[in-house]
Amino acid sequence: MTDVAKIDEEARTVFGFASVATIEDKQGDVIAPNTLEPAVYEYVKTARAANVMHEGPVVGECIESLFITAEKAALLGIPEEHVGKWWTGYHIPDDQAWENVKNGTTRAFSIEGRGKRVPL
């Protein structure tokens, strides 16, 4: 899980890094950039929906997504420290989900996915 970086209350949008490749997550897993990048693109093509902790109805929709590669970082002037990160933004029309974002109950992004754990 990574923390929310920006909230726009008027537009009901929330932004931040959804995942950071090569960083150990709260479950002790690390996703390699060459695994995360195609997963990000597949998510945008096929899913885009947000729910609450991977359960229940859709409460929002992905409106922005960028997996930061070295090439994109160089072209866009993004600091190298962000290479391998997935920046995302969501519009949250669901009233309760939006209230939870505003009051800090929901304060981070968590990607849902399937993978195979491989010992390093």
Side-chain angles (χ1 to χ4, degrees), residues 96-118:
Q96 185 58 57
W98 182 245
E99 185 57 36
N100 288 345
V101 169
K102 290 193 317 179
N103 69 26
T105 300
T106 301
R107 62 186 192 283
F109 295 95
S110 177
I111 64 170
E112 179 179 8
R114 293 180 184 93
K116 179 179 177 185
R117 285 197 167 101
V118 178

Side-chain angles (χ1 to χ4, degrees), residues 1-2 17-41 43 54 67-68 82-86 109-118 120:
M1 296 176 97
T2 57
F17 290 107
S19 188
V20 180
T22 70
I23 302 293
E24 189 172 304
D25 68 14
K26 291 184 180 184
Q27 290 78 36
D29 296 321
V30 176
I31 305 172
N34 64 343
T35 300
L36 181 58
E37 184 177 11
V40 167
Y41 301 147
Y43 170 79
H54 318 298
F67 181 79
I68 303 170
H82 296 305
V83 170
K85 295 181 179 181
W86 174 20
F109 295 95
S110 177
I111 64 170
E112 179 179 8
R114 293 180 184 93
K116 179 179 177 185
R117 285 197 167 101
V118 178
L120 299 177

Side-chain angles (χ1 to χ4, degrees), residues 20-94:
V20 180
T22 70
I23 302 293
E24 189 172 304
D25 68 14
K26 291 184 180 184
Q27 290 78 36
D29 296 321
V30 176
I31 305 172
N34 64 343
T35 300
L36 181 58
E37 184 177 11
V40 167
Y41 301 147
E42 187 63 24
Y43 170 79
V44 172
K45 289 189 317 187
T46 64
R48 296 186 303 276
N51 56 20
V52 178
M53 290 311 298
H54 318 298
E55 295 181 358
V58 171
V59 298
E61 181 176 34
C62 183
I63 58 169
E64 184 169 288
S65 178
L66 174 66
F67 181 79
I68 303 170
T69 63
E71 295 82 5
K72 290 174 192 171
L75 285 168
L76 298 171
I78 297 170
E80 192 173 312
E81 69 193 58
H82 296 305
V83 170
K85 295 181 179 181
W86 174 20
W87 176 264
T88 192
Y90 286 86
H91 175 247
I92 311 293
D94 181 89

Side-chain angles (χ1 to χ4, degrees), residues 9-22:
E9 289 195 31
E10 185 175 328
R12 291 177 81 144
T13 55
V14 58
F15 298 87
F17 290 107
S19 188
V20 180
T22 70

